[in-house]
């Protein structure tokens, strides 16, 4: 899966700047209201909401234990079992619904942890610079280059199995992306007037970081969180597929493990593969839409491009290569 | 030059980190891998074998730093120890063929995804608001959300199992043996279609969107306006002026995503039983073959580092501003 | 087409250019008219934001949307530029009119060598083979004052002055009869500025092309220009032969501009500058756009835009109370 990232540009820092010492809280969330007007974001939010509701209301939607054996193994979808049964004779639909809890839960929780970790490391590197930055940056680059899966597997092999291991392992491999971005943004913000003003007026380092710099990075933090969630859900599924997780607990990843284990392909049981994978894909897609929308809303250049597009449409101007001539006397 | 040296330095640090991690982990973890191996063999080994296993693992006598140096020494001589699952076969023998197939599949799928993705990115920027620009971003982004191994499963099921258009597994037909004959090469190509195809389908959207993003930035630069003012045809402006500049940040990004994409490819290899490193990775996991696992981790990491360096060389070639140092 | 336009190389008549923004149309150029004769150097002077660059880019029609040309005519040797299709424009550009950009560093493709940026025009427009094009490029470099050994350098390897000369060389590649120079020396330091200016004057003398020289620095036009037009807030407020303008400025803005520059020789003067700030182009002042900053403004100035008047010297001015035969 691809994990998009919003572009960190010089112009991305929000409009409230050097004149105001402490950025008003509400201005930080401008981008959120603007996102709500973007169809991409709305689609993303709706899809995520559906899955969240599915996870929360699992006992209502698919009552009874998803791990129960309910029928013959490998039955194709019927009216009774709309997604058929697994190689063990369990209800695929029920598993999918209940599996959302673990998959989404691990995904979001791990995503949050990864974001916090990368925020801490990235901001430290960007703010303190010097040798601290040197060490942290090298560590970040090393973790970026080293391929994730072999590292994941190596760590998972040695640690005792369990949810804790998964979370630790995912965090260790996933923090580097965000750290790079946060470091870059902190470096930029650090040079801004309002930070210098704070330093000169004797603000404590703690205050400067948490009250001056961090609030101006909210959209970046949100975007990084989304990216981390996508990574966590995907990597979690990968680990489960490989058998690193407790396969008796139902999640989308373990569903795929069993599908592979039971040679779903050779028996033709596509219904054991499709639903869990599509769920993962849809959640990742919805989150990606949110990231793209956020990028558009916070990047002034992208925003003005959109404005220009709508203006051009209104005047039926098609060519962008040469100056159009709109003369009212002639045909134009 | 300075740029290349800096990158080299980074890769050396990364390689050292991987090596050290490999060394420390088995010693840091609870339990004794040697003992677990022995217990698995249910006491069917002689004492000499226990000693040689320990030696192969690097669990020799002496202080930690001494073991570390011996370990490094062994690695530099290509001695990765003995595979537990295929005892007493040496690890290095097992993974050398794996490395070849992974690199082959990797190079092919990466090149195709990168080139097609970037060209599509240029195309949808050129024909903004056109058909391609309306459909492709949404479609390819959706496909990009699929986990690599899942799309591999789906494609395997659909095209190999159900439709029978492509083979189900392996890198070449079972009855053939490797040779430079056309039959063999053809078989290799046919067996590569699905694995490479699934990697390409997932990755291409990402490249396209990144390229589009950089192109939009580049197209607002003054030298593009000057190119238009010169009356150059659009084809030339798009490629010689815009793309030539827009591709540079994408190349650095290419280097950084190599590790990530390779991870996805490894899982794809598992699904197709493609005899690359991914296949051996599965084996190592399933049989708890620590020495194989370690060697694979190292090998894969080194492959990525080397690939990164090659990308850096390419980048220096393309961006004259970096050449100056 | 007017009788006076006959023979003119470039005739701009009543040109208006607007930027279409979501907030409304901004008129960057408002009914501007001027001509350039073959071999003439016309200077276009004004503050930043007065619309001078917009005019330059409009002649070649390289302004990007949301800018649109909303009125007027641009004729080059009688050809209607505003009616040209994309294909016609591609053939027309650079061969007839070339543009020297303000910032050479930004105008040059950073990853292509300078020689290739000269030869591509020749290879496209004149179908010249590469070897011949490179030979001509070498000659051009020599003529603008760059050591031909630097032909294959990249833009970042050249100094600021050399880059500007390179851009001039590129502009001259197809021997166009008209060169538009958009603040070609602004990004350079003063010493280099003078050198480049000298070079331009020499080139004009040797090759005989016309120049539309755009600048905010009037003093540069003293030696160079035959005719000068002063722009303010999208309109031309004064136009005259350069000697006539310098001796007898008639618009108050022009007077203000001239008083803003110290002169090295001559008596010490108090610099006055011009009070106020350039107007907001979304909602420009009513009537004469300069009236809020003009010391001689009266009630009528705010009501209606004055009609242009011309005296026997061909000196145009747009003002109700122009300075009479004034001294500086």
């Amino acid at each position: 899966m691809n994990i998009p990232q919003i572009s960190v540009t010089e112009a991305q820092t929000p409009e409230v700047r050097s004149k105001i010492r402490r950025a008003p809280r509400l201005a930080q969330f401008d981008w959120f209201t603007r996102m709500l007007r973007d169809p991409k974001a709305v689609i993303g939010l709706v899809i995520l909401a559906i899955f969240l509701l599915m996870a929360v209301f699992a006992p209502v939607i698919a009552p009874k234990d998803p791990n129960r054996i309910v029928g013959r193994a490998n039955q194709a979808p019927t009216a009774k079992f709309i997604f058929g049964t697994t190689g063990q004779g369990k209800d695929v639909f029920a598993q999918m619904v209940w599996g959302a809890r673990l998959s989404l839960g691990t995904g979001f929780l791990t995503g949050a942890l990864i974001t916090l970790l990368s925020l801490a490391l990235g901001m430290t590197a960007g703010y303190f610079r010097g040798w601290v930055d040197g060490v942290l940056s090298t560590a970040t680059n090393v973790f970026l280059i080293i391929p994730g899966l072999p590292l994941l597997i190596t760590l998972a092999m040695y640690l005792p199995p369990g949810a804790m291991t998964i979370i630790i392992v995912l965090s260790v491999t996933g923090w580097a992306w965000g750290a790079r971005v946060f470091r870059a943004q902190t470096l930029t913000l650090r040079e801004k007037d309002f930070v210098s003003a704070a330093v000169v007026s004797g603000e404590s380092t703690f205050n400067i970081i948490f009250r001056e710099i961090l609030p101006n990075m909210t959209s970046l933090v949100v975007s990084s969180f989304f990216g981390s969630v996508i990574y966590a859900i995907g990597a979690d599924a990968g680990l489960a597929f490989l058998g690193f997780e407790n396969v008796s607990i139902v999640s989308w990843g373990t569903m795929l493990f069993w599908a592979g284990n039971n040679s779903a392909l050779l028996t033709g049981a596509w219904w054991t593969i499709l639903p869990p994978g599509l769920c993962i894909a849809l959640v990742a897609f919805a989150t990606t839409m949110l990231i793209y929308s956020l990028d558009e809303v916070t990047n002034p250049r992208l925003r003005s491009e959109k404005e220009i597009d709508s203006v051009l449409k209104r005047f039926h101007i098609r060519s962008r290569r040469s100056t159009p001539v709109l003369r009212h006397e002639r045909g134009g | 030059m300075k740029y290349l040296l800096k990158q080299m330095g980074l890769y050396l640090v990364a390689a050292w980190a991987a090596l050290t991690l490999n060394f420390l982990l088995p010693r840091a973890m609870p339990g004794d891998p040697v003992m677990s191996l022995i217990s698995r063999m249910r006491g069917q080994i002689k004492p000499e074998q226990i000693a040689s296993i320990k030696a192969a693992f690097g669990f020799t006598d002496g202080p930690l730093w001494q073991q570390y140096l011996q370990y490094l020494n062994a690695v530099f001589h290509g001695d990765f120890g003995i595979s537990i699952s295929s005892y007493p076969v040496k690890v290095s023998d097992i993974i050398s063929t794996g490395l070849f197939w992974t690199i082959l599949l990797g190079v092919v799928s990466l090149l195709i995804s990168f080139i097609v993705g970037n060209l599509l990115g240029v195309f949808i920027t050129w024909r903004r608001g056109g058909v391609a620009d309306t459909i492709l971003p949404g479609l390819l982004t959706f496909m990009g959300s699929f986990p690599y191994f899942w799309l591999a499963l789906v494609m395997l099921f659909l095209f190999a199992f159900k439709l029978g258009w492509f083979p189900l597994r392996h890198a070449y037909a079972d009855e053939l043996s490797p040779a430079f004959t056309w039959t063999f090469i053809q078989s290799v190509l046919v067996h590569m279609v699905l694995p490479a195809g699934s990697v390409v389908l997932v990755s291409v959207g990402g490249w396209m969107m990144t390229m589009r993003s950089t192109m939009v930035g580049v197209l607002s630069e003054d030298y593009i306006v000057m190119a238009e003012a010169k009356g150059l045809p659009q084809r030339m402006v798009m490629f010689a002026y815009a793309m030539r500049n827009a591709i540079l940040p994408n190349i650095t990004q290419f280097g950084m995503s190599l590790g990530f994409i390779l991870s996805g490819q490894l899982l794809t290899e598992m699904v197709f039983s493609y005899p690359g490193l991914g296949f051996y990775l599965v084996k190592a996991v399933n049989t708890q073959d620590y020495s194989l696992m370690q060697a694979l981790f190292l090998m894969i990491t080194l492959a990525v580092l080397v690939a990164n360096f090659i990308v850096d060389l390419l980048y220096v070639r393309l961006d004259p501003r970096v050449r100056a140092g | 087409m007017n009788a006076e336009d006959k023979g003119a190389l470039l005739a701009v008549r009543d040109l208006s250019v607007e930027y279409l923004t979501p907030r409304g149309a901004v008129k960057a150029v408002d009914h501007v008219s001027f001509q350039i004769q073959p071999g003439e150097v016309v200077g276009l002077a004004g503050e930043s934001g007065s619309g001078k660059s917009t005019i330059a880019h409009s002649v070649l029609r390289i302004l990007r949307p949301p800018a649109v040309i909303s009125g007027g005519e641009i004729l080059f040797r009688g050809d209607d530029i505003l009616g040209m299709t994309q294909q016609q424009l591609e053939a027309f550009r650079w061969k007839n009119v070339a543009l020297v950009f303000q910032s050479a560093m930004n105008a040059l493709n950073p990853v292509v060598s300078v020689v290739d940026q000269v030869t591509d025009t020749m290879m496209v427009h004149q179908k010249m083979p590469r070897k011949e094009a490179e030979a001509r490029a070498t000659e051009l470099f020599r003529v603008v004052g760059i050591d031909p050994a630097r032909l294959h350098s990249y833009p970042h390897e050249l100094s600021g002055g050399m880059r500007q000369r390179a851009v001039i060389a590129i502009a001259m590649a197809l021997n166009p009869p008209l060169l538009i120079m958009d603040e070609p020396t602004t990004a350079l330091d003063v010493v280099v500025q003078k050198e480049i200016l000298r070079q331009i004057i020499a080139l004009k003398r040797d090759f005989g092309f016309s120049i539309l020289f755009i600048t905010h620095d009037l003093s540069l036009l003293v030696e160079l220009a035959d005719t000068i037009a002063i722009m303010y807030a999208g309109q031309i407020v004064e136009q005259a032969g350069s000697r006539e303008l310098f001796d007898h400025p008639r618009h108050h803005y022009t007077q203000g501009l001239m008083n803003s520059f110290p002169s090295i020789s001559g008596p010490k003067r108090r610099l006055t500058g011009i009070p106020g700030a350039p107007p907001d182009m979304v909602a420009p002042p009513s009537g004469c756009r300069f009236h809020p900053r003009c010391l001689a403004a009266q009630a009528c100035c705010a009501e209606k835009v004055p009609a242009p008047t011309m005296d026997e010297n061909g000196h145009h001015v747009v003002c109700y109370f122009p300075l009479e035969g004034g001294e500086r």
Side-chain angles (χ1 to χ4, degrees):
Chain A
M1 37 189 4
N2 283 314
I3 302 177
Q5 219 165 11
I6 72 176
S7 37
V8 179
T9 59
E10 171 62 50
Q12 195 140 14
T13 46
E15 290 95 51
V16 181
R17 278 276 156 295
S18 44
K19 301 190 188 82
I20 302 178
R21 194 168 161 270
R22 206 157 279 164
R25 288 287 167 267
L26 297 176
Q28 304 320 308
F29 297 99
D30 259 355
W31 47 265
F32 182 66
T33 35
R34 262 184 265 138
M35 263 174 78
L36 289 178
R37 269 180 252 141
D38 185 3
K40 290 198 287 292
V42 172
I43 294 177
L45 282 172
V46 165
I47 295 180
L48 278 182
I50 293 177
F51 278 100
L52 278 170
L53 286 172
M54 187 171 85
V56 166
F57 288 108
V60 174
I61 305 174
K64 301 196 204 138
D65 183 6
N67 257 326
R68 262 179 353 129
I69 298 181
V70 291
R72 248 181 35 231
N74 281 329
Q75 276 184 42
T78 56
K80 185 156 181 245
F81 300 118
I82 53 175
F83 283 160
T85 60
T86 69
Q88 261 89 21
K90 303 179 185 175
D91 184 357
V92 173
F93 177 73
Q95 292 216 318
M96 183 191 85
V97 169
W98 284 88
R101 294 188 153 193
L102 201 59
S103 296
L104 289 177
T106 322
F108 279 91
L109 182 62
T110 315
L113 276 167
I114 292 179
T115 310
L116 283 172
L117 191 57
S118 55
L119 196 55
L121 292 173
M123 283 185 77
T124 309
Y127 188 79
F128 292 108
R129 299 187 295 195
W131 64 268
V132 171
D133 183 18
V135 168
L136 285 175
S137 287
T138 313
T140 310
N141 285 329
V142 165
F143 274 94
L144 272 178
I145 295 185
I146 293 185
L149 187 73
L151 183 58
L152 263 176
I153 295 180
T154 306
L155 289 171
M157 257 181 94
Y158 287 112
L159 290 169
M164 208 58 233
T165 304
I166 301 297
I167 293 181
I168 292 177
V169 153
L170 288 179
S171 304
V172 166
T173 49
W175 64 271
W177 278 101
R180 236 175 67 100
V181 172
F182 292 134
R183 172 182 174 272
Q185 188 69 337
T186 307
L187 279 175
T188 312
L189 284 174
R190 203 181 183 285
E191 305 308 318
K192 295 280 177 188
D193 291 344
F194 65 95
V195 171
S196 313
V199 169
V200 158
S201 60
E203 287 262 335
S204 66
T205 310
F206 182 86
N207 266 347
I208 295 179
I209 292 182
F210 284 96
R211 285 192 163 168
E212 307 284 349
I213 297 186
L214 188 55
N216 282 307
M217 288 179 25
T218 35
S219 58
L220 217 54
V221 173
V222 171
S223 155
S224 177
F225 170 67
F226 287 148
S228 307
V229 165
I230 298 178
Y231 170 72
I233 294 182
D236 179 45
L239 281 178
F241 179 64
L242 288 171
F244 276 110
E245 304 188 4
N246 184 350
V247 294
S248 47
I249 304 182
V250 175
S251 76
W252 293 333
T254 54
M255 283 175 77
L256 287 168
F257 168 80
W258 286 112
N261 222 33
N262 296 328
S263 309
L265 291 168
L266 300 179
T267 54
W270 54 268
W271 52 89
T272 55
I273 307 174
L274 219 57
L278 270 180
C279 286
I280 297 174
L282 282 169
V283 170
F285 177 66
T287 319
T288 305
M289 286 290 108
L290 288 174
I291 296 180
Y292 280 143
S293 175
L294 189 54
D295 192 13
E296 216 168 76
V297 158
T298 51
N299 189 336
R301 188 167 26 88
L302 286 181
R303 229 185 315 145
S304 60
E305 289 276 338
K306 281 204 95 168
E307 285 177 354
I308 293 177
D309 277 342
S310 64
V311 165
L312 293 183
K313 239 201 189 115
R314 216 187 327 145
F315 284 90
H316 306 294
I317 297 173
R318 310 209 64 229
S319 163
R320 313 171 120 256
R321 292 188 67 205
S322 304
T323 319
V325 181
L326 282 187
R327 271 185 296 207
H328 313 290
E329 315 94 71
R330 297 206 200 158
Chain B
M1 226 346 105
K2 215 164 70 169
Y3 172 76
L4 285 176
L5 286 176
K6 198 172 74 130
Q7 295 297 97
M8 260 312 263
L10 177 63
Y11 301 147
L12 286 173
V13 172
W16 168 83
L19 279 169
T20 311
L21 196 68
N22 254 341
F23 176 75
L24 288 176
L25 270 179
R27 287 161 178 76
M29 289 307 134
D32 183 354
V34 183
M35 281 302 130
S36 74
L37 166 63
I38 291 170
S39 66
R40 218 177 321 130
M41 294 191 140
R42 262 159 270 190
Q44 281 167 0
I45 2 177
K46 312 187 193 79
E48 312 87 75
Q49 285 179 308
I50 297 181
S52 74
I53 291 174
K54 274 198 158 165
F57 262 96
F59 281 107
T60 52
D61 302 310
L64 201 64
W65 64 265
Q66 198 176 24
Q67 293 189 22
Y68 185 52
L69 289 172
Q70 285 173 335
Y71 164 72
L72 287 177
N73 187 42
V75 167
F76 277 115
H77 284 93
D79 176 8
F80 292 104
I82 299 174
S83 163
I84 298 176
S85 52
S86 315
Y87 189 87
V89 183
K90 284 177 50 192
V91 166
S92 38
D93 292 336
I94 298 178
I95 61 179
S96 39
T97 35
L99 186 63
F100 170 73
W101 289 111
T102 295
I103 291 181
L104 180 68
L105 184 62
V107 167
V108 169
S109 29
L110 272 173
L111 279 180
I112 297 179
S113 331
F114 187 76
I115 294 175
V116 171
N118 276 287
L119 284 176
L120 280 178
V122 173
F123 184 69
I124 61 173
T125 319
W126 186 342
R127 299 243 186 272
R128 243 172 112 150
V131 174
D133 193 22
T134 324
I135 302 180
L136 284 181
L139 178 66
L140 290 180
T141 306
F142 181 60
M143 296 195 77
S145 314
F146 300 156
Y148 282 97
F149 67 90
W150 182 76
L151 184 63
L153 282 171
V154 170
M155 285 181 71
L156 178 61
F157 182 80
L158 190 57
F159 295 110
F161 182 68
K162 270 288 179 194
L163 293 172
W165 291 349
F166 295 98
L168 276 172
R169 60 171 70 87
H170 296 162
Y172 51 87
D174 292 335
E175 51 287 6
L176 296 177
S177 35
F180 249 127
T181 59
W182 174 236
T183 347
F184 181 70
I185 295 178
Q186 200 173 19
S187 181
V188 167
L189 288 174
V190 164
H191 279 80
M192 235 200 302
V193 172
L194 287 184
S198 65
V199 172
V200 167
L201 282 174
V202 175
S203 335
V204 83
W207 296 123
M208 182 182 80
M209 297 305 277
T210 332
M211 185 52 154
R212 180 171 89 152
S213 169
T214 16
M215 278 292 279
V216 168
V218 163
L219 285 176
S220 62
E221 296 278 350
D222 278 347
Y223 54 84
I224 300 292
V225 180
M226 176 141 170
E228 295 277 11
K230 285 190 195 175
L232 300 176
Q234 186 165 27
R235 192 190 2 104
M236 213 167 149
V237 176
M238 274 294 153
F239 287 100
Y241 281 73
M243 187 180 182
R244 209 49 192 72
N245 280 277
I247 201 151
L248 293 174
N250 293 352
I251 291 186
T252 36
Q253 182 150 355
F254 178 71
M256 278 199 300
S257 344
L258 273 176
F260 185 72
I261 298 180
L262 188 64
S263 301
Q265 185 189 317
L266 292 174
L267 288 171
T268 308
E269 286 179 12
M270 291 179 202
V271 168
F272 287 99
S273 303
Y274 201 78
L277 295 177
F279 173 74
Y280 292 105
L281 209 62
V282 154
K283 196 143 182 265
V285 167
N286 287 338
T287 57
Q288 302 240 292
D289 189 342
Y290 292 97
S291 45
L292 183 58
M293 189 60 240
Q294 280 187 358
L296 282 170
F297 173 59
L298 212 53
M299 185 75 12
I300 294 172
T301 305
L302 286 174
V304 169
L305 293 178
V306 168
N308 262 301
F309 190 66
I310 294 177
V311 170
D312 288 333
L313 288 173
L314 179 67
Y315 183 76
V316 168
R317 190 75 191 73
L318 288 176
D319 188 349
R321 292 166 289 191
V322 177
R323 262 182 252 164
Chain C
M1 191 163 66
N2 267 329
E4 349 175 323
D5 293 344
K6 281 223 183 79
L9 190 60
L10 181 74
V12 174
R13 197 138 292 293
D14 252 355
L15 179 68
S16 291
V17 181
E18 293 177 3
Y19 283 87
L20 303 174
T21 70
R23 274 163 281 119
V26 178
K27 225 169 190 180
V29 174
D30 197 356
H31 294 93
V32 159
S33 303
F34 64 91
Q35 293 170 42
I36 305 181
Q37 304 298 329
E40 186 185 7
V41 178
V42 172
L44 192 57
E47 293 167 323
S48 9
S50 55
K52 356 186 260 295
S53 285
T54 309
I55 292 181
H57 289 238
S58 302
V59 172
L60 281 172
R61 282 186 63 189
I62 51 176
L63 268 184
R64 294 254 187 84
V68 294
I69 297 180
S70 55
E73 288 184 326
I74 302 180
L75 301 171
F76 185 85
R77 285 186 175 152
D79 291 331
D80 176 19
I81 294 186
L82 299 187
M84 286 187 185
T85 63
Q86 177 67 36
Q87 227 169 339
Q88 290 170 321
L89 280 172
E90 269 176 37
F92 170 81
R93 287 171 181 158
W94 221 249
K95 218 171 44 185
N96 298 288
V97 181
L99 180 52
V100 173
F101 281 75
Q102 179 173 339
S103 166
M105 188 65 235
N106 294 340
L108 291 170
N109 187 342
V111 298
V112 173
S113 65
V114 197
V115 65
D116 286 340
Q117 301 192 47
V118 180
T119 55
D120 60 15
T121 54
M122 298 186 249
M123 283 159 54
V124 164
H125 284 268
Q126 297 169 333
K127 307 277 187 282
M128 224 190 256
R130 177 178 285 280
K131 275 214 125 87
E132 199 183 322
E134 281 197 19
R136 177 154 162 74
T138 316
E139 180 59 26
L140 279 167
F141 266 42
R142 199 187 52 78
V143 153
V144 301
I146 311 179
D147 180 2
R150 309 309 299 266
L151 254 185
H152 292 271
S153 306
Y154 288 93
H156 68 277
E157 292 171 336
L158 302 175
S159 69
M162 279 163 70
R163 281 197 287 265
Q164 203 61 44
R165 292 173 198 263
V167 171
I168 294 175
I170 298 176
M172 291 175 61
L174 302 179
N175 247 329
L178 173 63
L179 245 58
I180 302 180
M181 299 194 173
D182 187 359
E183 306 216 43
T185 57
T186 304
L188 304 169
D189 63 62
V190 176
V191 177
V192 181
Q193 253 186 37
K194 207 71 175 107
E195 287 171 9
I196 301 290
L197 212 53
R198 286 238 170 81
Q199 189 78 66
I200 294 176
I201 295 176
L203 288 169
K204 150 88 176 62
R205 186 193 58 225
D206 294 338
F207 291 88
F209 43 75
S210 308
I211 306 181
L212 175 61
F213 195 97
I214 297 173
T215 180
H216 63 270
D217 185 352
L218 259 185
S219 59
L220 294 180
L221 297 176
V222 174
E223 283 179 75
L224 183 57
D226 300 314
T227 311
I228 300 180
I230 308 282
M231 272 197 82
Y232 184 77
Q235 296 170 330
I236 292 186
V237 295
E238 187 167 6
Q239 205 176 134
S242 78
R243 189 78 254 164
E244 165 71 15
L245 189 85
F246 276 105
D247 288 342
H248 307 119
R250 303 191 66 205
H251 198 280
H252 300 271
Y253 178 61
T254 317
Q255 172 86 295
L257 275 184
M258 292 190 186
N259 287 340
S260 306
F261 295 103
S263 66
I264 292 189
S265 54
K268 262 207 301 225
R269 277 185 308 114
R270 197 177 207 97
L271 285 180
T272 43
I274 307 172
D280 172 13
M281 292 308 290
V282 180
S286 57
C288 168
R289 292 192 179 164
F290 187 63
H291 83 259
R293 304 169 77 181
C294 183
L295 300 171
Q298 318 235 348
C300 58
C301 299
E303 282 162 30
K304 207 162 78 102
V305 180
T309 55
M310 180 169 81
D311 71 8
E312 65 281 1
N313 293 325
H315 191 144
H316 294 243
V317 69
V318 179
C319 182
Y320 287 119
F321 310 103
L323 297 160
E324 287 307 326
E327 310 104 34
R328 302 187 52 198

